[in-house]
Amino acid sequence: MRNWKFNHIDFSTYPGYSGKDLGVFWSPEKTTFKIWAPTAQMVELRLYKDGVHGESYYKTNLQKKENGTWGTILTGDYEGKFYTFRVNDGEWLDEVAGIYARCVGANGLRGMIYNPNTTNPEEWVFDNGPRYNSFTYAVIYETHVRDFSIAENSGIENKGKFLGFTEEGTRPPEGVKTGIDHLKELGVTHVHLLPVNDFVTVDEEKPLEKYNWGYDPMHYNALEGSYATDPYDGRKRIVEFKKLVKALHANGIGVILDVVFNHTYYAKESVFNQIVPGYFYRQKEDGSFSNASGCGNEVASEREMVRKYIIDTLNYWVEEFHVDGFRFDLMGIHDLKTMQEIRKSLDKIDRGLFLYGEGWAADQSPMPESKRAVKKNTSAMRRIASFNDDFRDALKGNHGDKKSKGFISGLNLREEAIKFGITAAVYHPQVNYGYIDTVETAWAAEPDQCINYVSCHDNYTLWDKLKQSLPKATDEDLRKRVKLAGALVLTSQGVPLLHAGVDFCRTKGGNGNSYKSPDSVNQIDWSRKNEYLDVFEYFQKLIQLRKNHPAFRMTSADAIRRDLNFCAEYKIGVVSYCLDGKAAGDSWSKVFLIFNGNEEEVELPLPEGRYKVVADANSINEEGVKVVEDTVVVEPISLKILVHAENG
């Protein structure tokens, strides 16, 4: 029986390989196969006519090549055939499609040989996504392929599929816009998709029988078949995902992929372990798999060929699928050098690609925190951002405790943590870090390193968190708090991220961990858009406000320290500050923002001059709804944005 403990092995002695030819590559005349398997004594290649069923019709052995690689060439046209590798390192391991499989049959059991040129939509060569001078211009909308369109009332034909994102003119019975039309109407710049690469726990042959977010990776270079109209022909999922990308790009919306390199669903049985046992994972002192992911294993990003694999994979998604960035799940498990090398490698392709991730792990790692991409090391990862969970919890309360409260739910003494988010987690001399429970000091070097958010796929939706922490609140009261949260996220410095449906008070019925809950819990209920249309229109106008005014999206920490001033006298439950719009290149010379988290109104003195009110609890009008001077009254659980009246 195989020993799955590896404390007797020094993996640094394994030879590295720098070539770009690992995997399976088709041409009409021949197909080449090459894998890195330095411990192998024999590698068998099997060919099949079917991706799921039947016996292999051809077997051959790969030849040993340089630096731990094995390869062979089959002459002739093998397009449409399926393949597996089987490694013998003293005993036979399981049959797998290999770690570089880019096209697979149903459930990823076998790789598929294909002509990539046949997977490109019309005019694909001209496809490209939006690019900005600074990532602070981005407004990201996080969604799940299946959630986005699966509801009966989505009006979308290809429900739960990649192609659901390509349909225009879709409507629910209430007549509001859904799908891609909704995204355009809202005004977001990027869609962040939960994992679209091949994952384990949804049976692609029976996709509606089970649900999962997809954080259980199997193949990192191949797409998930349950999102395709045909899971058996691996080419279909490639074609259809490219159509998704092209449709979003055609409407000025970028595509960011959620990538889960920190762990695999299987440990011993994983594709990695069936090719090079133990190498791709970190181990404890006793040689067993360590578990910083909380999922039974953690990927050893610091090892040479693991780092190469991650970088090769990301480069492939950019070059083949034209994606615009990546979000790294549990980024705090990865080593800093790998994240830095990822940035360098992707910059050679396109400096406009946006990278960000979760700056934490789920459990202990054998790698010291000082060497990992945790939040407090963000400043060492230039042009890579971390999620600002400090701001998230300050806004609504602890993410895991349904009864806890934050600034928008009426909890006082969270003002410094709110200021921390407003200043994009960069150092600001007017933020008193000693009064923030979750941090000791700033952790971002520049504002484009901070992702500000109040909710995401994890934990309770914002609406559900507010309902549970404020059980006696009325529907109208909860709407006000959602609007206040949206205003804080979308006017703060840094990069805002919105959980899909937060703009119309999305609910999951109080489910705080819906990763495998049914569609009835996870689906976006588009009828709520009509029911909470005032909230949607408020978010829509906030996004347009942010786009129109660079004062809300300064591009440097120095500018934030210089041109953002907490200019008003402190009041409990109130955060207020001034922006020097002129210095930021804004058409508004002076902007004064007040956020009142109290249950009662507050009156504040205004900076010298006359001001027009451009935003309050229910309306946003850049022309101004009225002019005030000397003092301003801010209603409970609401905001005021005022602009110096010299602006017109």
Side-chain angles (χ1 to χ4, degrees):
M1 187 173 178
R2 179 175 291 274
N3 177 11
W4 287 97
K5 292 194 174 182
F6 299 92
N7 49 333
H8 60 292
I9 295 176
D10 180 2
F11 289 112
S12 68
T13 63
Y14 286 19
Y17 178 71
S18 60
K20 297 183 183 300
D21 57 348
L22 293 176
V24 177
F25 298 92
W26 169 92
S27 73
E29 299 79 26
K30 63 183 180 181
T31 297
T32 62
F33 302 80
K34 195 167 192 179
I35 68 170
W36 181 73
T39 60
Q41 297 175 15
M42 187 183 304
V43 179
E44 182 184 69
L45 169 68
R46 297 182 178 186
L47 293 186
Y48 296 85
K49 294 180 180 178
D50 187 277
V52 179
H53 307 290
E55 299 296 319
S56 63
Y57 72 90
Y58 179 80
K59 297 178 185 178
T60 188
N61 288 336
L62 273 61
Q63 289 80 50
K64 194 170 186 178
K65 305 287 185 179
E66 71 279 20
N67 298 82
T69 63
W70 296 73
T72 193
I73 298 173
L74 298 183
T75 57
D77 188 350
Y78 285 87
E79 185 180 8
K81 300 298 188 291
F82 295 85
Y83 67 89
T84 61
F85 299 105
R86 198 173 182 214
V87 167
N88 186 318
D89 65 348
E91 57 183 291
W92 285 107
L93 290 153
D94 294 341
E95 223 177 317
V96 291
I99 70 172
Y100 277 91
R102 295 182 172 96
C103 186
V104 295
N107 294 316
L109 299 176
R110 298 168 183 168
M112 185 178 188
I113 301 168
Y114 76 112
N115 174 3
N117 295 324
T118 63
T119 66
N120 293 337
E122 191 175 344
E123 299 188 332
W124 179 244
V125 68
F126 302 112
D127 172 77
N128 55 73
R131 294 293 180 268
Y132 305 112
N133 292 331
S134 171
F135 296 132
T136 59
Y137 187 87
V139 179
I140 303 168
Y141 201 68
E142 182 213 57
T143 193
H144 180 273
V145 170
R146 184 158 155 176
D147 295 357
F148 190 68
S149 57
I150 198 72
E152 190 60 37
N153 64 14
S154 71
I156 293 170
E157 182 179 346
N158 289 283
K159 297 186 189 306
K161 306 296 183 184
F162 293 135
L163 291 179
F165 284 83
T166 68
E167 298 178 35
E168 298 185 339
T170 59
R171 304 285 186 273
E174 294 84 0
V176 294
K177 295 178 180 179
T178 67
I180 195 170
D181 288 354
H182 169 79
L183 300 173
K184 289 188 287 181
E185 185 182 26
L186 183 58
V188 295
T189 67
H190 292 77
V191 167
H192 161 161
L193 296 175
L194 270 62
V196 299
N197 63 286
D198 190 42
F199 56 86
V200 175
T201 51
V202 172
D203 184 348
E204 294 176 358
E205 296 187 277
K206 303 170 185 175
L208 297 181
E209 288 191 0
K210 201 170 182 183
Y211 177 95
N212 205 279
W213 281 339
Y215 292 93
D216 50 338
M218 184 173 186
H219 294 297
Y220 286 93
N221 288 265
L223 284 152
E224 169 59 22
S226 68
Y227 298 151
T229 58
D230 178 358
Y232 299 101
D233 184 343
R235 294 166 292 200
K236 289 286 183 66
R237 56 185 86 179
I238 297 174
V239 170
E240 291 170 5
F241 182 69
K242 286 180 176 178
K243 287 182 177 179
L244 173 154
V245 173
K246 189 170 183 287
L248 288 167
H249 283 175
N251 288 286
I253 300 171
V255 178
I256 293 171
L257 299 188
D258 207 322
V259 287
V260 192
F261 288 109
N262 65 83
H263 77 282
T264 54
Y265 178 75
Y266 294 119
K268 296 174 185 177
E269 305 89 344
S270 76
V271 177
F272 291 145
N273 271 332
Q274 300 310 311
I275 299 292
V276 194
Y279 180 84
F280 281 82
Y281 300 92
R282 292 185 190 138
Q283 286 84 23
K284 303 175 189 175
E285 286 188 5
D286 68 358
S288 62
F289 296 118
S290 54
N291 187 28
S293 68
C295 299
N297 58 82
E298 61 180 291
V299 170
S301 60
E302 69 281 7
R303 293 179 188 158
E304 179 185 358
M305 291 302 287
V306 182
R307 181 178 293 153
K308 171 181 166 55
Y309 177 75
I310 293 172
I311 292 173
D312 285 352
T313 298
L314 295 172
N315 288 351
Y316 170 69
W317 284 102
V318 170
E319 292 173 332
E320 183 66 23
F321 294 101
H322 303 177
V323 301
D324 307 288
F326 300 97
R327 176 266 194 191
F328 293 84
D329 184 63
L330 294 182
M331 182 175 70
I333 291 176
H334 300 322
D335 67 293
L336 278 168
K337 185 178 179 184
T338 291
M339 293 307 301
Q340 292 162 346
E341 291 298 317
I342 287 169
R343 182 75 266 180
K344 286 181 189 175
S345 180
L346 290 174
D347 279 352
K348 292 176 184 175
I349 302 172
D350 183 349
R351 284 185 58 84
L353 299 167
F354 191 25
L355 307 180
Y356 57 94
E358 294 179 302
W360 50 80
D363 209 332
Q364 297 300 308
S365 173
M367 173 170 280
E369 194 175 70
S370 61
K371 294 183 178 180
R372 289 189 279 116
V374 295
K375 188 174 58 179
K376 68 181 181 181
N377 295 332
T378 302
S379 61
M381 299 182 286
R382 294 303 171 100
R383 298 177 57 250
I384 299 175
S386 294
F387 279 92
N388 189 354
D389 57 331
D390 309 295
F391 192 39
R392 175 200 66 193
D393 287 359
L395 284 167
K396 66 176 183 182
N398 181 276
H399 64 283
D401 180 356
K402 64 184 180 182
K403 293 184 178 180
S404 66
K405 298 178 182 179
F407 181 82
I408 64 166
S409 38
L411 183 65
N412 290 329
L413 304 180
R414 288 295 176 269
E415 296 83 19
E416 295 304 312
I418 298 300
K419 289 163 64 176
F420 183 83
I422 287 169
T423 54
V426 303
Y427 173 73
H428 193 288
Q430 290 180 289
V431 176
N432 190 330
Y433 298 95
Y435 283 92
I436 305 174
D437 293 339
T438 55
V439 292
E440 296 177 359
T441 188
W443 45 256
E446 296 294 344
D448 65 0
Q449 290 186 294
C450 173
I451 302 289
N452 276 333
Y453 69 119
V454 67
S455 58
C456 66
H457 67 280
D458 278 321
N459 314 118
Y460 302 105
T461 69
L462 176 59
W463 182 262
D464 289 346
K465 181 69 165 71
L466 288 170
K467 281 198 77 168
Q468 294 183 86
S469 61
L470 298 165
K472 295 181 180 179
T474 65
D475 186 89
E476 186 56 40
D477 181 59
L478 295 175
R479 290 179 196 236
K480 287 171 58 178
R481 297 177 193 275
V482 172
K483 289 176 182 178
L484 182 60
L488 276 158
V489 168
L490 286 163
T491 60
S492 291
Q493 306 301 318
V495 183
L497 178 141
L498 304 175
H499 181 218
V502 69
D503 46 308
F504 46 88
C505 304
R506 183 178 180 179
T507 179
K508 293 184 182 179
N511 189 317
N513 188 20
S514 68
Y515 76 100
K516 60 177 182 179
S517 300
D519 291 319
S520 58
V521 172
N522 281 294
Q523 66 188 4
I524 294 177
D525 178 3
W526 290 99
S527 67
R528 287 180 75 87
K529 182 178 177 182
N530 184 66
E531 185 179 354
Y532 294 94
L533 195 60
D534 61 310
V535 179
F536 168 78
E537 290 174 345
Y538 197 77
F539 272 75
Q540 180 189 38
K541 289 175 182 176
L542 282 166
I543 290 171
Q544 194 58 51
L545 188 74
R546 184 180 184 88
K547 287 182 173 181
N548 291 348
H549 295 282
F552 299 123
R553 44 184 172 82
M554 298 178 199
T555 59
S556 75
D558 286 341
I560 291 172
R561 286 186 281 268
R562 183 186 66 232
D563 303 326
L564 190 159
N565 176 31
F566 294 97
C567 54
E569 181 182 347
Y570 170 70
K571 283 182 180 286
I572 291 177
V574 177
V575 176
S576 56
Y577 62 101
C578 298
L579 296 172
D580 184 342
K582 187 176 181 180
D586 204 312
S587 59
W588 289 344
S589 62
K590 297 176 185 176
V591 188
F592 186 40
L593 298 92
I594 310 160
F595 298 93
N596 180 16
N598 292 299
E599 304 283 352
E600 57 278 332
E601 68 179 30
V602 294
E603 185 174 354
L604 272 77
L606 286 169
E608 185 177 347
R610 299 170 71 244
Y611 286 78
K612 62 181 182 180
V613 177
V614 297
D616 59 21
N618 295 303
S619 61
I620 297 171
N621 184 341
E622 292 191 32
E623 299 303 314
V625 294
K626 64 178 179 179
V627 175
V628 294
E629 56 185 318
D630 299 329
T631 62
V632 63
V633 174
V634 185
E635 291 75 21
I637 317 298
S638 73
L639 69 147
K640 282 279 197 304
I641 301 178
L642 305 103
V643 179
H644 199 272
E646 71 180 23
N647 292 286

